[in-house]
Amino acid sequence: MSRFFATGSDSESEESSSADEITPKAPGTTFKQSLLLSDDEEDTKRVVRSAKDKRFEELTNLIKTIRNAMKIRDMAKCLEEFEQLCRAFLKSKNIVDKEGVPPFYIRLLADLEDYLNQLWEDKEGKKKMNKNNAKALSTLRQKIRKYNRDYETEIAAYKENPQDSADEEEEKEPEESGSSSDSDEEAGEEGVSAKAFLKKKPEVTPDASKFLKSAKGSGDESSSSDDDVDDEDWGSDSVDSGSESSDDGEGKSASLAVVFLKKTQGPEKAEKKIAKKKKPKKKERLEEEAEEEGGEEVEGGWEKVKGGVPLVKEKPKMFAKGTEINTAVVVKKLNEILQARGKKGTDRAAQIELFHALAAIAAENNLGQGILVKIKFNIIASLYDYNPNLAAFMKADMWKKCLDCINELLDILFENNNIFIGENIAEDSENLGISDQPFRVRGCMLTLVERMDEEFTKIMQNTDPHSQEYVDNLKDEGRVCGIIDRLLSYLENKGSTEEICRIYLRRIMHTYYKFDYKAHRRSLGLQGESKSEQDQEESEGEDSAVIMDRLCKFIYAKDRTDRIRTCAILCHIYHHALHSRWYQARDLMLMSHLQDNIQHADPPVQILYNRTMVQLGICAFRQGMIKDAHNALLDIQSSGRAKELLGQGLLMRNMQERNAEQEKIEKRRQVPFHMHINLELLECVYLVSAMLLEIPYMAAHEFDARRRMISKQFHHQLRVGERQPLLGPPESMREHVVAASKAMKMGDWRTCHSFIINEKMNSKVWDLFPETLRVREMLVRKIQEESLRTYLFTYSSVYDSISMETLSDMFELEIPTVHSIISKMIINEELMASLDQPTQTVVMHRTEPTSLQNMALQLAEKLGSLVENNERVFDLKQGVYGGYFNRDQKGGYQQKQGYQRDQKGGYQQKQGGYQRGGYRNQNQSNY
Amino acid sequence: NISRKLTPVVLKIIKHYQEEGQGSEVVQGVLLGLVVDDRLEITNCFPFPQHTEDDADFDEVQYQMEMMRSLRHVNIDHLHVGWYQSTYYGSFVSRALLDSQFSYQHAIEESVVLIYDPIKTAQGSLSLKAYRLTPKLMEICKEKDFTPEGLKKANIGFEHMFEEVPIVIKNSHLINVLMWELEDKSTVADKHELLNLSSSNHLEKSLQLLMDRVDDMSQDIVKYNTYSRNLSKQQQQKHQYLQRRQQENAQRQSRGEPPLPEEDINKMFKPPQPPPRMDTLLIAGQINNYCQNVKEFTSQNLGKLFMAEALQGHN
């Protein structure tokens, strides 16, 4: 609207009015908006220039009320409104500065002054006025005099040219009438110039109908109003707007916009025509209305427009016909669109469309890549903006659009070496136009890509991992990786170190959890057959290990933020562990000292740390480092919250402990399903490690009173197994391990082996390892060794001597191995025996106390402590010997009292004692 | 006060345990008989039925009365003279036993409790003991005073809690005939149980139980320890307070003011709840019991071992 004023299109009464019809109403309900958006460019226009519009709308509204007050000679109201008007005008100062003082404002000032003077002269009327009004009149008169001094020139100009003013007023009134339907009657009563009045009537109806859209007439009306303009301007328009489609319906619909735009450049012509035709036009319109009332086709046509070609229509609206489309204009337009961003009534989808259109225009007019890049940036940004809620995830198709956009943007960037992008380039120091200088565009590619990646994670988090949809979404991961790779190579040339570190980390994040099958096979020397490597095309020719190494080392050297480095180290360790490079992984973990300070890190990093530890433990297990595996997994497993600690799910029991907000935050931290570590595998590895450690230990320390358990969880499982009333064949993984443990306790390695490694366990656990066979072999070996140890611990008291050959047969181990195991046990003083080399036998020394002796020792110990306690009681008595007697003498009476109390409580005491006894008995049995 | 028993009672008790008791589970029953001169003759018995938690409404007293009435109908001794209970490795000294024996003895002066040890019996020596509460203990139980002071005043130790009553078992001729017949039927292997040398199993069990009791004992002692420490601390405080009060009063007196009123010192220094000592006593008794058992067992076994050694040497 303001633009019309700015360009001085005073008399384009109809068009501006029809534009205004919408402007005030548009911000209303969304329903209306969506309805309008489909075909009414006015709305979008309003959207674009909402800041300006808002101000001016405010002013016009105020002016209207003032005029109304003038009519009824309500001076008090007039004064009040005038003051408000001044304030509003001040507020819109910067817009006014840009656009110049709006003529309607001047007009009001002039009119008001005249009016006041007139009233002032009218002594009679003044006398009739009540006190309030009279007072207001005088103040207002003084005020306006003072105020008008600032606008003397304008007012003078206005007074010189009252003709103009009349026109303006005409325009003004319909505007007002349109701007709010409730003011219609008022406006009517106002009884402005007859012309305006006449004009208004037809206007009002279309307004309402248009918005409601229910009445058939609405379509007719709007189209009719189009039509009558068409009558005048259609011919020229159609010529001008070459880009418009030739389709009749479209042309028609577009015509309205065209007319507008047309006006701006050639106002005089249209003005005259309209001025001349005002009256006839009205008549015409009525006729047409009548005609078209019956005709359905027009309605149909209108409908078509609505659903039809918004894009085509937008273009003319974007830029006035014939405007030279240059960079500055496009940038201005872009900013206009941007201003609507984040506003309440803004339709985000439409905005994205607008950007696209703008990009098309820019491309069409060869405005250079700079502007295109800028627009693309904005498109992506508005795509991200599409979801107002940060927690909600983008729709997959939106996200894909975004991917495309980023890809295109990267294309441009790669093709044109002379584009500089940076988030620190100020808005005004941008260089978007084609010139010798390189383009400079504000924006950060990295942020966009990072956001895109995060959105990807969010999408994955919010997709059911067992659906086809998830698989489909996951296929896009390759594209994400592709983009990251491209950006990486781009930034390697142009970006700062920090940016490189960030993009490296992204790359690492997408690499570390994937097992590099290609490298694995290569290491096994199985290069031959062709495998499906589509998912690793990006690392073609290079092992992921090499990539990880390169990227991580760069980060270690260059990164200055601690977080990126921490993440990189963890990912690096994870990757090492995943590929069974245990020593590298362990050394890196130890060197990083992360264990000491990880508790200060933020939760996502802690989750990553937990994941890494778990992976490290599993790696150790695969390598046969049972103890290391156990230690690495202990923390995670012993808490019983492995799921939560690994970010792979929320625990139900915590539901009441946290509120919805926390839950949302935690949900956002979850690791997408495809990165999960198999929890059953984890638990099985842990339990088996615990079994291999714990069972020999238990056997060795059977009678040790102060025996500590290595793994609480394992013991818990054992107890659960014991509590089963009926022991069937094991079903679950845990039952298998428990059954195996029991077999191992007896030194029966064969049964143990068959429980640990069988069909069920293979499918559940062991087949999940990349080197299944090797792991299983290792496992069998470990079981044999530990069973041998257990056997020796448990039954050494039975033997006087045992031949190593027998042992070797029993456990299917080679004699040297048996020899070494027994030697180790002897050296560690676990086994009281000696080796008799010539006969290859183990001779037991039988120095181990028998169980009865052990028991007696324990009893002696206990009795010792009992005596000690007893002595303490005695000491106490000795110490307060005097006091004791004193009490006896003095407190005779008190004692009696106490005695009574005791009697009263006797029954309860007895009961309590009874219960306690029972409780103790329970304890005993547990013991 | 000698109790005299007829074999059917013993056989019935053994049968009862064999049929219903297993492991550490305890079987109980009622003894019937009459007092003759200074002897208590136990002539019959019947078991309490084992009942589980779910038939809690089972009325034991009713059952007993019914049983005794029925017995009277068939002209068998029906006077209630005590009860019997099986035991597991001699662990019978408990609060429950004390309470029920007290109530028996309270109601029927001459009643005894018979303790039957099936494990020992299985090893070849019939173990059947009759106990009564000592008059002292009866006194204490009547007054329900288990405070340290009360027990101290009664001057009772664990050794004076129960008195063992000598048992004389008398067989009727019919029973003797039955016994002979049974002995004939029993296999040879059973006879040699007597000479079984493996002792560790029994000893281990006893030791384990002994250890548990010792643990309980030390817990109780620790409890008592803290109690006496608290008490002495409080005594000290009370003492200090009284002294201060005395001083103050003396001062006031010298100034001619009336002395401060005596406040209820007990309210200010509430003595700590004394721990009941009865449990400790019982535990001590139980420990004593175990020790006796172990001693007996070991001495028997030692004898056997020496005998075995001599035999071996002879060969």
Side-chain angles (χ1 to χ4, degrees):
Chain A
M1 181 162 98
S2 65
R3 220 177 49 162
F4 301 128
F5 294 117
T7 48
S9 65
D10 302 340
S11 55
E12 50 162 32
S13 52
E14 192 193 327
E15 285 73 31
S16 66
S17 70
S18 61
D20 286 342
E21 283 159 20
I22 289 141
T23 33
K25 291 211 170 169
T29 58
T30 43
F31 163 68
K32 260 184 212 165
Q33 176 136 16
S34 64
L35 195 147
L36 291 165
L37 269 170
S38 53
D39 58 344
D40 285 40
E41 55 280 65
E42 291 96 323
D43 175 68
T44 36
K45 204 179 278 169
R46 184 245 143 216
V47 166
V48 168
R49 295 171 297 160
S50 65
K52 229 187 289 173
D53 281 355
K54 237 211 233 134
R55 292 273 169 249
F56 279 62
E57 186 191 310
E58 204 181 318
L59 292 182
T60 41
N61 279 340
L62 283 169
I63 289 169
K64 196 173 61 203
T65 24
I66 291 177
R67 281 190 195 280
N68 284 347
M70 277 158 73
K71 302 263 149 57
I72 55 169
R73 295 191 168 207
D74 185 352
M75 280 304 111
K77 172 105 184 183
C78 221
L79 177 62
E80 197 183 297
E81 292 297 321
F82 179 70
E83 269 162 354
Q84 267 188 31
L85 180 67
C86 290
R87 248 176 277 141
F89 191 71
L90 258 178
K91 256 198 265 172
S92 52
K93 186 97 175 108
N94 40 357
I95 291 165
V96 170
D97 283 350
K98 241 190 265 168
E99 308 282 344
V101 183
F104 60 84
Y105 191 67
I106 299 297
R107 201 163 59 226
L108 174 88
L109 292 179
D111 286 355
L112 191 57
E113 200 177 20
D114 287 350
Y115 174 71
L116 288 176
N117 284 337
Q118 205 182 321
L119 274 184
W120 197 252
E121 302 303 310
D122 182 12
K123 302 275 181 209
E124 286 248 284
K126 223 166 116 188
K127 264 175 212 159
K128 267 189 247 162
M129 259 185 221
N130 63 26
K131 217 175 160 190
N132 250 352
N133 264 351
K135 207 172 153 194
L137 175 64
S138 54
T139 20
L140 186 59
R141 189 162 161 266
Q142 271 168 3
K143 263 201 174 169
I144 196 131
R145 240 190 225 168
K146 221 189 269 170
Y147 194 82
N148 280 5
R149 237 169 266 159
D150 296 341
Y151 300 97
E152 257 169 336
T153 45
E154 284 97 327
I155 291 170
Y158 163 72
K159 279 186 178 165
E160 255 177 62
N161 193 1
Q163 188 65 42
D164 227 331
S165 79
D167 267 2
E168 268 175 353
E169 210 156 320
E170 274 170 38
E171 179 204 48
K172 181 98 219 83
E173 293 309 327
E175 222 174 270
E176 283 163 16
S177 67
S179 58
S180 64
S181 54
D182 60 348
S183 68
D184 284 348
E185 285 109 332
E186 281 178 53
E189 281 167 1
E190 263 173 49
V192 228
S193 62
K195 244 198 236 170
F197 182 65
L198 283 171
K199 205 163 169 283
K200 192 170 56 197
K201 243 194 174 164
E203 293 283 339
V204 174
T205 27
D207 281 357
S209 53
K210 210 185 238 171
F211 288 122
L212 292 168
K213 224 195 134 212
S214 55
K216 217 200 297 171
S218 71
D220 303 351
E221 185 52 42
S222 63
S223 56
S224 73
S225 65
D226 288 353
D227 285 352
D228 54 34
V229 181
D230 285 355
D231 293 346
E232 302 157 356
D233 296 304
W234 176 240
S236 60
D237 275 341
S238 56
V239 176
D240 282 3
S241 58
S243 60
E244 272 172 45
S245 70
S246 55
D247 180 23
D248 191 32
E250 275 171 26
K252 229 185 196 177
S253 66
S255 64
L256 181 70
V258 166
V259 170
F260 276 111
L261 298 163
K262 191 97 215 295
K263 286 291 132 51
T264 54
Q265 13 163 176
E268 291 109 331
K269 193 175 122 201
E271 217 175 291
K272 261 185 236 155
K273 262 189 207 164
I274 291 162
K276 256 189 265 161
K277 287 205 172 182
K278 225 140 234 179
K279 264 185 190 169
K281 202 198 265 174
K282 204 234 137 177
K283 237 187 267 164
E284 262 172 45
R285 193 181 294 165
L286 286 171
E287 280 163 20
E288 272 168 21
E289 218 175 314
E291 269 171 32
E292 279 163 7
E293 204 83 59
E296 289 287 335
E297 346 138 36
V298 187
E299 163 106 38
W302 197 76
E303 288 287 5
K304 198 163 149 200
V305 165
K306 187 186 89 183
V309 264
L311 256 178
V312 185
K313 247 186 332 168
E314 260 146 32
K315 214 182 328 179
K317 172 231 64 199
M318 289 266 199
F319 297 108
K321 191 114 309 166
T323 312
E324 193 200 342
I325 295 180
N326 56 27
T327 315
V329 173
V330 174
V331 170
K332 196 172 164 220
K333 191 82 205 164
L334 187 66
N335 286 335
E336 277 170 10
I337 301 172
L338 276 180
Q339 267 165 11
R341 180 180 168 187
K343 296 234 167 72
K344 222 180 170 185
T346 315
D347 185 308
R348 290 179 291 266
Q351 217 184 350
I352 293 165
E353 292 302 324
L354 277 182
F355 279 126
H356 274 297
L358 202 57
I361 291 173
E364 200 174 291
N365 289 286
N366 282 327
L367 288 182
Q369 305 295 350
I371 192 76
L372 211 54
V373 168
K374 175 118 183 113
I375 295 170
K376 288 266 184 217
F377 267 125
N378 283 311
I379 291 175
I380 296 165
S382 52
L383 276 169
Y384 290 145
D385 273 349
Y386 191 72
N387 252 335
N389 190 353
L390 193 69
F393 61 103
M394 278 171 91
K395 295 271 167 300
D397 51 336
M398 285 296 276
W399 179 78
K400 272 177 195 157
K401 248 188 240 168
C402 184
L403 265 189
D404 294 336
C405 253
I406 291 176
N407 249 334
E408 281 166 32
L409 192 52
L410 279 169
D411 283 339
I412 296 173
L413 290 180
F414 271 109
E415 278 164 25
N416 302 278
N417 230 357
N418 56 348
I419 299 175
F420 285 108
I421 302 175
E423 48 191 333
N424 40 13
I425 295 173
E427 198 81 49
D428 25 304
S429 70
E430 281 185 328
N431 184 7
L432 303 170
I434 306 174
S435 60
D436 300 338
Q437 258 97 52
F439 296 110
R440 291 167 67 81
V441 183
R442 180 188 165 82
C444 182
M445 209 48 222
L446 182 57
T447 320
L448 292 182
V449 172
E450 278 179 342
R451 179 78 198 271
M452 181 270 297
D453 192 27
E454 272 155 30
E455 289 297 339
F456 175 68
T457 312
K458 262 192 236 167
I459 291 172
M460 295 318 276
Q461 278 169 355
N462 286 289
T463 315
D464 173 20
H466 304 292
S467 63
Q468 183 60 32
E469 195 190 349
Y470 192 89
V471 178
D472 292 340
N473 285 343
L474 192 55
K475 280 176 190 160
D476 290 327
E477 213 251 344
R479 292 183 65 194
V480 175
C481 289
I483 285 176
I484 289 174
D485 263 352
R486 293 185 66 187
L487 183 63
L488 189 142
S489 57
Y490 177 77
L491 284 177
E492 269 175 350
N493 293 326
K494 301 213 169 168
S496 66
T497 325
E498 250 167 76
E499 284 175 322
I500 295 178
C501 282
R502 273 164 71 191
I503 192 67
Y504 273 14
L505 184 66
R506 284 284 149 189
R507 178 76 172 84
I508 289 168
M509 285 298 202
H510 275 278
T511 314
Y512 79 96
Y513 63 90
K514 292 176 189 154
F515 189 78
D516 191 349
Y517 278 95
K518 203 170 54 146
H520 178 59
R521 292 214 191 166
R522 196 180 300 149
S523 70
L524 293 179
L526 292 169
Q527 189 58 13
E529 74 248 62
S530 64
K531 313 131 264 208
S532 58
E533 283 164 15
Q534 305 96 307
D535 55 331
Q536 293 192 345
E537 262 162 12
E538 74 268 19
S539 62
E540 191 72 65
E542 206 176 4
D543 283 358
S544 62
V546 180
I547 297 173
M548 285 294 286
D549 210 47
R550 186 165 53 79
L551 300 183
C552 287
K553 278 189 177 144
F554 181 86
I555 289 178
Y556 301 156
K558 296 284 165 60
D559 175 58
R560 282 193 305 269
T561 67
D562 225 21
R563 192 177 184 278
I564 291 183
R565 191 173 44 231
T566 309
C567 288
I569 291 174
L570 287 173
C571 292
H572 202 180
I573 296 168
Y574 190 103
H575 193 261
H576 275 319
L578 191 64
H579 295 82
S580 300
R581 292 187 292 272
W582 155 249
Y583 288 104
Q584 279 114 303
R586 187 198 58 183
D587 292 348
L588 203 52
M589 179 55 99
L590 293 177
M591 277 194 297
S592 65
H593 290 286
L594 278 175
Q595 280 135 312
D596 307 331
N597 49 23
I598 193 69
Q599 65 269 23
H600 304 303
D602 48 356
V605 177
Q606 285 191 15
I607 287 176
L608 182 60
Y609 173 79
N610 290 338
R611 281 165 60 76
T612 306
M613 275 318 269
V614 165
Q615 198 57 249
L616 203 58
I618 293 175
C619 171
F621 182 78
R622 281 196 307 252
Q623 301 297 311
M625 323 267 178
I626 301 300
K627 209 172 167 85
D628 290 311
H630 180 265
N631 289 342
L633 299 180
L634 183 65
D635 284 342
I636 303 290
Q637 276 293 321
S638 62
S639 64
R641 298 185 301 150
K643 203 171 163 194
E644 206 181 354
L645 290 175
L646 292 177
Q648 300 189 172
L650 305 175
L651 288 185
M652 282 304 132
R653 72 179 159 79
N654 279 0
M655 277 310 185
Q656 61 268 42
E657 284 168 30
R658 57 167 179 242
N659 52 36
E661 191 55 38
Q662 279 169 315
E663 197 187 319
K664 248 184 227 161
I665 294 171
E666 272 175 46
K667 257 190 189 147
R668 230 175 296 161
R669 283 188 203 134
Q670 298 302 302
V671 176
F673 184 74
H674 60 280
M675 296 163 73
H676 279 196
I677 295 170
N678 188 323
L679 288 176
E680 192 168 28
L681 169 76
L682 166 63
E683 196 181 353
C684 179
V685 164
Y686 174 76
L687 285 178
V688 170
S689 320
M691 176 188 85
L692 290 175
L693 291 175
E694 186 84 72
I695 297 291
Y697 180 83
M698 277 166 74
H701 299 264
E702 204 184 341
F703 305 115
D704 194 341
R706 279 187 295 276
R707 163 168 73 109
R708 273 198 300 270
M709 42 187 143
I710 296 174
S711 161
K712 260 194 178 144
Q713 226 213 345
F714 177 69
H715 274 271
H716 175 73
Q717 291 303 337
L718 282 187
R719 273 199 300 275
V720 168
E722 271 164 24
R723 236 178 280 147
Q724 295 283 295
L726 200 67
L727 215 62
E731 279 297 326
S732 71
M733 177 273 296
R734 283 180 200 154
E735 284 167 6
H736 271 102
V737 176
V738 169
S741 304
K742 274 185 192 149
M744 194 183 211
K745 238 186 227 169
M746 313 301 293
D748 182 359
W749 77 272
R750 263 174 252 268
T751 321
C752 179
H753 171 218
S754 69
F755 277 131
I756 290 289
I757 296 172
N758 53 33
E759 284 296 308
K760 246 182 221 163
M761 289 293 270
N762 275 348
S763 65
K764 265 182 189 150
V765 182
W766 307 125
D767 285 346
L768 298 173
F769 285 129
E771 297 162 292
T772 314
L773 267 180
R774 215 169 51 79
V775 172
R776 274 195 288 241
E777 270 164 29
M778 179 278 296
L779 209 51
V780 175
R781 177 98 189 163
K782 285 281 168 200
I783 288 172
Q784 286 169 338
E785 287 176 11
E786 294 305 326
S787 298
L788 169 61
R789 274 162 54 83
T790 313
Y791 184 81
L792 283 177
F793 282 134
T794 314
Y795 300 108
S796 65
S797 58
V798 182
Y799 286 100
D800 267 334
S801 66
I802 184 166
S803 141
M804 279 203 276
E805 215 167 308
T806 322
L807 285 176
S808 150
D809 284 347
M810 274 171 76
F811 294 95
E812 290 185 11
L813 287 165
E814 310 86 55
I815 291 185
T817 321
V818 176
H819 188 276
S820 90
I821 289 172
I822 292 173
S823 303
K824 244 184 243 167
M825 287 169 76
I826 292 172
I827 289 167
N828 292 335
E829 299 188 337
E830 291 170 327
L831 186 68
M832 296 303 163
S834 53
L835 282 170
D836 188 44
Q837 281 303 343
T839 50
Q840 290 280 310
T841 47
V842 191
V843 181
M844 303 296 169
H845 289 177
R846 319 222 60 168
T847 51
E848 280 288 301
T850 62
S851 65
L852 182 63
Q853 284 165 330
N854 258 317
M855 205 81 90
L857 285 173
Q858 273 182 47
L859 178 64
E861 219 169 88
K862 279 185 179 169
L863 284 174
S865 72
L866 176 66
V867 168
E868 209 174 286
N869 278 332
N870 219 2
E871 237 143 55
R872 229 176 275 152
V873 173
F874 195 58
D875 278 352
L876 202 68
K877 277 202 172 154
Q878 296 287 64
V880 292
Y881 190 69
Y884 192 73
F885 264 88
N886 271 348
R887 184 186 54 183
D888 258 7
Q889 284 163 358
K890 271 192 202 166
Y893 171 67
Q894 294 155 13
Q895 261 193 353
K896 232 177 234 167
Q897 269 202 333
Y899 172 75
Q900 276 174 348
R901 192 170 42 242
D902 268 353
Q903 255 200 338
K904 248 184 273 167
Y907 177 64
Q908 288 166 347
Q909 263 183 18
K910 197 174 83 175
Q911 271 204 333
Y914 208 36
Q915 280 169 351
R916 207 175 309 127
Y919 178 62
R920 211 177 286 137
N921 276 336
Q922 267 184 354
N923 277 355
Q924 273 171 35
S925 54
N926 281 348
Y927 194 88
Chain B
N1 201 350
I2 295 170
S3 71
R4 218 178 106 145
K5 294 188 46 180
L6 296 174
T7 327
V9 179
V10 180
L11 288 179
K12 267 184 181 169
I13 292 172
I14 293 172
K15 189 161 171 271
H16 181 196
Y17 178 81
Q18 295 295 15
E19 278 167 3
E20 288 187 35
Q22 23 164 263
S24 57
E25 230 166 87
V26 160
V27 296
Q28 292 176 324
V30 175
L31 297 176
L32 302 170
L34 65 164
V35 180
V36 181
D37 301 337
D38 59 344
R39 311 186 298 260
L40 173 72
E41 289 202 355
I42 301 166
T43 52
N44 200 1
C45 70
F46 61 88
F48 286 143
Q50 298 286 81
H51 62 92
T52 44
E53 298 293 321
D54 36 271
D55 46 25
D57 53 341
F58 177 78
D59 191 352
E60 233 166 63
V61 180
Q62 184 67 31
Y63 172 79
Q64 281 182 35
M65 299 314 285
E66 276 296 319
M67 200 67 189
M68 285 190 280
R69 203 171 300 130
S70 312
L71 287 172
R72 191 165 58 181
H73 284 317
V74 289
N75 209 12
I76 298 176
D77 285 335
H78 60 270
L79 292 174
H80 208 157
V81 294
W83 58 298
Y84 70 85
Q85 187 196 317
S86 73
T87 176
Y88 180 66
Y89 286 109
S91 59
F92 59 88
V93 186
S94 67
R95 194 62 185 255
L97 180 110
L98 177 72
D99 286 342
S100 47
Q101 179 57 22
F102 169 70
S103 60
Y104 267 105
Q105 223 164 308
H106 194 62
I108 307 157
E109 215 279 317
E110 66 271 14
S111 58
V112 292
V113 55
L114 266 184
I115 303 293
Y116 162 67
D117 189 337
I119 292 163
K120 236 189 231 175
T121 309
Q123 275 169 346
S125 55
L126 174 66
S127 166
L128 202 60
K129 298 216 161 104
Y131 288 99
R132 280 171 59 82
L133 299 186
T134 54
K136 265 185 197 167
L137 193 63
M138 282 300 289
E139 206 59 32
I140 293 167
C141 287
K142 239 182 249 169
E143 291 180 3
K144 300 220 188 293
D145 177 17
F146 300 130
T147 54
E149 278 81 30
L151 291 181
K152 193 166 163 265
K153 213 164 60 182
N155 194 17
I156 193 163
F158 64 89
E159 55 283 74
H160 304 121
M161 289 170 75
F162 296 96
E163 55 179 351
E164 199 183 332
V165 186
I167 298 176
V168 176
I169 299 172
K170 248 195 124 175
N171 289 349
S172 70
H173 297 299
L174 266 175
I175 295 290
N176 273 334
V177 171
L178 175 70
M179 294 299 270
W180 280 114
E181 205 179 314
L182 282 176
E183 199 175 356
D184 256 3
K185 275 182 188 164
S186 67
T187 48
V188 185
D190 284 344
K191 284 182 188 165
H192 292 283
E193 281 282 286
L194 259 175
L195 294 175
N196 191 359
L197 282 180
S198 78
S199 56
S200 60
N201 200 6
H202 188 263
L203 273 180
E204 266 175 43
K205 271 271 156 47
S206 300
L207 279 182
Q208 208 150 37
L209 289 165
L210 186 54
M211 255 191 286
D212 293 347
R213 294 286 104 182
V214 169
D215 272 347
D216 290 346
M217 188 70 155
S218 24
Q219 265 176 27
D220 262 20
I221 285 182
V222 169
K223 243 186 254 164
Y224 182 69
N225 211 348
T226 42
Y227 159 71
S228 34
R229 214 174 311 138
N230 286 344
L231 195 68
S232 73
K233 219 187 279 169
Q234 211 180 37
Q235 285 299 331
Q236 237 170 345
Q237 280 175 350
K238 207 194 265 181
H239 198 67
Q240 275 177 354
Y241 175 80
L242 283 175
Q243 264 184 344
R244 233 178 312 133
R245 178 53 63 88
Q246 252 170 2
Q247 273 180 350
E248 219 172 301
N249 275 349
Q251 272 183 354
R252 290 175 81 103
Q253 225 163 14
S254 67
R255 275 178 296 176
E257 288 169 37
L260 287 171
E262 282 290 324
E263 281 165 42
D264 191 2
I265 282 178
N266 259 338
K267 260 185 197 160
M268 295 178 66
F269 299 101
K270 223 175 178 186
Q273 187 76 24
R277 298 296 290 152
M278 200 42 162
D279 285 328
T280 325
L281 267 186
L282 285 170
I283 292 168
Q286 182 66 65
I287 289 176
N288 187 38
N289 211 345
Y290 284 138
C291 288
Q292 296 284 344
N293 267 349
V294 171
K295 209 168 96 190
E296 207 175 295
F297 186 80
T298 41
S299 57
Q300 273 180 13
N301 262 36
L302 270 180
K304 273 192 264 181
L305 286 173
F306 276 124
M307 200 160 72
E309 198 185 20
L311 274 173
Q312 210 139 30
H314 213 70
N315 286 345

